[in-house]
Amino acid sequence: MRLLLLFVFCTVLVKANPVQAQTRLQTYTAPKGALLNDDFTVKVRIPGQKWQDLPEYLVKVDEVVNAKHTVKDASMASFDFSGKVEVMVTYNKGAIETARIRPLSYGIQHQVDKNNLTFTLDQPRNLSVEVNGDIFHNLHLFANPMLEFVPKKNDPNVIFFGPGIHEFKDQKFNVPSGKTVYISGDAVLRGQLLIHDARDVKVIGRGMVEHTVKMGVHIANSQNVLVEGIFLTQCATGGSDNVTLRNIKSISYYGWGDGLNVFASNNVLMDGVFCRNSDDCTTVYATRKGFVGGSKNITMQNSSLWADVAHPIFIGIHGNSVNPDVIENLNYVNIDILDHKEAQIDYQGCLAINGGDNNLIRNVRFEDIRIENFRQGQLVNIRIFYNPKYCTAPGKGIENLLFKNISYTGNNATLSIIAGYNEERKIKKIVFENLKINGEIIHDKMNGKPAWYKTSDMAGLFVGEHVEEVSFINTENRNTENLLK
């Protein structure tokens, strides 16, 4: 009888505390000789348990002032968890007057006590913790999901980088076909990982390719590739098929520091990535850099983008003007854009499609994208153009674009642009569904729009020549309206 009562009591406890039963936390130590930054001290714990210290790594970011690039020292820390954890960030340079945790859409509440900031997380997040308005010496905090699979070190198909700093001859390591590369959370690589002419390759873990290495991972002419969970500066994909980039963190600080380039590739998924870059965060091009052909079936989702220079999202400028390419079936879904800073008007646009080199660009969807108050640039830049600096011909056409549930909160956006090239090179069929600017939906039947205005005028959007079928619709309350009829 006593055993039965004990079993019932324990069962009730487990059912009453499901979160506590599932909570797990994994932290890592920095290897000797790793590059660190002491601006912050970061600790994490399961509620009620002991605080665990995290290493605070040095990363570098790019600030542009009056066309001059200045490299700044920022911080990065990471850990893995499930369930719920508490985080304490100590600012070691003085008192915390103001603080924010971004993306703002996450709504993470925090408490400040002198130079300590605390908050709780109940799901994995890639965050920027900013103190006293400083976005260039901030803390990039990557709270990862638990790593459920760690390959065996002695598996002949596994290349295992355990704790420590790993340097390669000529600063390059070629990954053969059929291999899984594991980079543990306390491992630092000082050299590129090259996935060239390979297939069935995985690069997984919680470690990093150090920020000193430009183009940390490079994928070329390969199939069936997964890169997951690691930190790096850049990861380009060219001439490849069936590539997944999941929960990778890209931070760059030098010229031409694009984050996630796609060249002449098909079936590429970027899921849960964080990009803060000194050039375009993510691009899709056709023929470029020796890779030949169009690009199709490209998806980025559940991600955060921060462009210290150029575009958060950029599509279409490069191709083959002699044998024209097609870029098609692109999806950008559930994305937070944290910043956009570009003084050159030709290279502005959080969501930018610039058709060049006789490219035909079609079937592009932007959905559930939240744009914060960026520093300088445009919301949208859709153009067919001839840019002789980068192109040998104007683009052929752009058609079938959907902008659904796009929101912008801020006051720094300048005039957005949609413009074709001539009667043979047009932009056709663009739908803005529930475009929300500072809380107001811009649509063709909106209140307060003078009858003689274009709806685009209300959005600060110039629709130029050789553009056809642009509509602004409001479907946010359609279901409610139908119920009331």
Side-chain angles (χ1 to χ4, degrees), residues 33 35 52 86 107 111 139 163 195 341 399 458:
L35 302 178
Q52 299 185 40
E86 296 173 343
Q111 296 78 42
L139 169 67
I195 305 170
K341 174 71 167 69
E399 57 189 42
M458 308 301 290

Side-chain angles (χ1 to χ4, degrees), residues 217 219 225-229 232 235-237 243-248 259-262 268-273 299 301 303:
V217 174
I219 303 166
V225 176
L226 169 67
V227 182
E228 182 171 7
L232 41 71
C235 181
T237 300
V243 174
T244 298
L245 310 177
R246 178 171 289 118
N247 188 32
I248 64 174
L260 309 180
N261 291 126
V262 175
V268 178
L269 171 64
M270 295 164 276
D271 183 19
V273 303
T299 295
Q301 61 188 22
S303 298

Side-chain angles (χ1 to χ4, degrees), residues 19-26 46 79-85 146-148:
V19 174
Q20 183 176 350
Q22 298 171 3
T23 297
R24 293 181 291 166
L25 174 62
Q26 175 68 57
I46 296 172
F79 62 92
D80 308 342
F81 82 106
S82 64
K84 181 181 290 188
V85 294
M146 293 295 297
L147 188 61
E148 300 297 344

Side-chain angles (χ1 to χ4, degrees), residues 464-478:
E465 294 76 14
H466 315 298
V467 178
E468 299 177 354
E469 300 178 68
V470 179
S471 60
F472 295 80
I473 62 176
N474 176 9
T475 62
E476 191 171 77
N477 299 315
R478 179 173 290 177

Side-chain angles (χ1 to χ4, degrees), residues 62-126:
D62 183 25
E63 180 180 16
V64 179
V65 180
N66 298 324
K68 294 182 179 179
H69 294 257
T70 305
V71 176
K72 302 288 188 177
D73 291 348
S75 302
M76 188 271 286
S78 66
F79 62 92
D80 308 342
F81 82 106
S82 64
K84 181 181 290 188
V85 294
E86 296 173 343
V87 179
M88 178 186 294
V89 176
T90 301
Y91 183 55
N92 296 324
K93 299 172 70 174
I96 298 177
E97 303 297 336
T98 63
R100 64 178 182 174
I101 301 172
R102 299 200 294 154
L104 297 177
S105 69
Y106 293 168
I108 297 174
Q109 301 298 311
H110 63 270
Q111 296 78 42
V112 173
D113 180 13
K114 298 179 180 178
N115 66 334
N116 292 320
L117 180 151
T118 57
F119 56 94
T120 298
L121 295 177
D122 59 8
Q123 60 182 298
R125 296 293 199 190
N126 292 324

